[in-house]
Amino acid sequence: MNNINVDVLEIISKDLEYRDLFAINILSKDINNIFKCCEFSSRPITVRDPDILKMYSFKNIVTGNIKILKYKLKKINLDLSYIKVTDLSNLNNIHTLDLSCTNVTDVSALGCIHTLNLSYTNVIDVSALGKVHTLNLCNTNVTDVSALGNVHTLNLCNTRVTDVSALGNVHTLNLCNTRVTDVSALSNVHTLNLCNTRVTDVRALGNVHTLNLSCTKVTDVSALSNVHTLNLYNNKEV
């Protein structure tokens, strides 16, 4: 549903038994209308607007209870991909933020966001993002991920990361196309993608639920008998 009228949205939401809506793309530049939509949706609403940052200043938004305002922001998915972003200071209460393919480098203000996409950016320092739930760092220059041990879902595909010793508690970890060799600390990871890596020793991964070893040089998989789903596609060494 694109360009949906706010009044129509209100009528629709009242007809739903659980007042539950699918994510809606709001193209309106009226921040008040976006907040009004949030009142009727139990799921985060997606906002895609090149001018949205101009409105994200608490001084310019509706006056009122700041706690309520922050709650409403928690229910917004903001897509700023491919947009020149200059100020992130007012976006730390957004639920989901897509900054892929932007000029962003400083993400120190984004530590409270639930889902954050920083793929194809020049971000290097991610030390402030340890509380993010879902973090996409694909195709970035990140090397130090020691602060990300509590992230639930972490995408490090095509990064320069080599040391993953701090990521043993990550639930879903994508290390595809990285230079990682030592995965001994990842025994508790639930879903692990090691496709096209330099990993050869997987003896510590016997408790991983879903493991992708395609396009690797792993030869000994005897320790992986308890792995639920194992991908060895194009692995000529086994």
Side-chain angles (χ1 to χ4, degrees), residues 28-29 31 34 47-61 78-92 94 97-99 102-104 110:
S28 167
K29 294 182 181 180
I31 196 71
I34 294 174
V47 180
R48 170 71 177 170
D49 192 323
D51 296 324
I52 196 72
L53 277 180
K54 296 179 182 178
M55 298 182 288
Y56 272 88
S57 170
F58 288 134
K59 294 180 181 179
N60 298 326
I61 298 177
L78 185 56
D79 183 355
L80 296 176
S81 56
Y82 295 94
I83 295 174
K84 185 177 181 180
V85 181
T86 55
D87 183 10
L88 301 175
S89 59
N90 289 317
L91 300 180
N92 61 330
I94 299 293
L97 181 59
D98 187 349
L99 292 171
T102 63
N103 59 317
V104 169
L110 305 180

Side-chain angles (χ1 to χ4, degrees), residues 1-12 24 26 33 36-37:
M1 290 187 290
N2 290 329
N3 293 314
I4 191 168
N5 182 280
V6 174
D7 294 329
V8 174
L9 176 61
E10 182 174 353
I11 293 173
I12 293 174
I24 299 170
I26 305 297
N33 282 354
K36 187 175 181 180
C37 290

Side-chain angles (χ1 to χ4, degrees), residues 190 202-203 205-211 221-230:
H190 180 275
V202 292
R203 288 175 296 175
L205 304 182
N207 291 323
V208 172
H209 181 275
T210 302
L211 180 60
V221 293
S222 59
L224 305 181
S225 58
N226 290 327
V227 173
H228 182 274
T229 303
L230 180 61

Side-chain angles (χ1 to χ4, degrees), residues 97-117:
L97 181 59
D98 187 349
L99 292 171
S100 58
C101 303
T102 63
N103 59 317
V104 169
T105 55
D106 182 2
V107 292
S108 57
L110 305 180
C112 294
I113 290 178
H114 180 276
T115 302
L116 180 59
N117 186 353

Side-chain angles (χ1 to χ4, degrees), residues 35 38-39 56 58 61-62 64-76 89-95 112:
F35 284 160
C38 288
E39 294 290 345
Y56 272 88
F58 288 134
I61 298 177
V62 195
N65 189 317
I66 204 69
K67 291 183 179 179
I68 295 178
L69 193 58
K70 289 183 177 181
Y71 169 73
K72 291 178 178 179
L73 288 174
K74 278 288 188 182
K75 299 179 70 177
I76 291 180
S89 59
N90 289 317
L91 300 180
N92 61 330
N93 284 300
I94 299 293
H95 179 276
C112 294

Side-chain angles (χ1 to χ4, degrees), residues 172-224:
T172 302
L173 181 59
N174 185 355
L175 296 173
C176 177
N177 294 323
T178 62
R179 301 173 184 176
V180 171
T181 56
D182 183 0
V183 291
S184 58
L186 304 182
S187 59
N188 291 323
V189 173
H190 180 275
T191 302
L192 181 59
N193 185 355
L194 296 174
C195 172
N196 199 31
T197 60
R198 302 176 182 180
V199 172
T200 56
D201 184 356
V202 292
R203 288 175 296 175
L205 304 182
N207 291 323
V208 172
H209 181 275
T210 302
L211 180 60
N212 186 350
L213 294 176
S214 60
C215 303
T216 63
K217 294 184 178 182
V218 173
T219 57
D220 182 3
V221 293
S222 59
L224 305 181

Side-chain angles (χ1 to χ4, degrees), residues 145-149 154 156 161 163-171 173 175 185-186 189:
V145 292
S146 57
L148 305 181
L154 182 58
L156 295 174
V161 171
D163 182 1
V164 293
S165 58
L167 305 182
N169 290 323
V170 173
H171 180 275
L173 181 59
L175 296 173
L186 304 182
V189 173

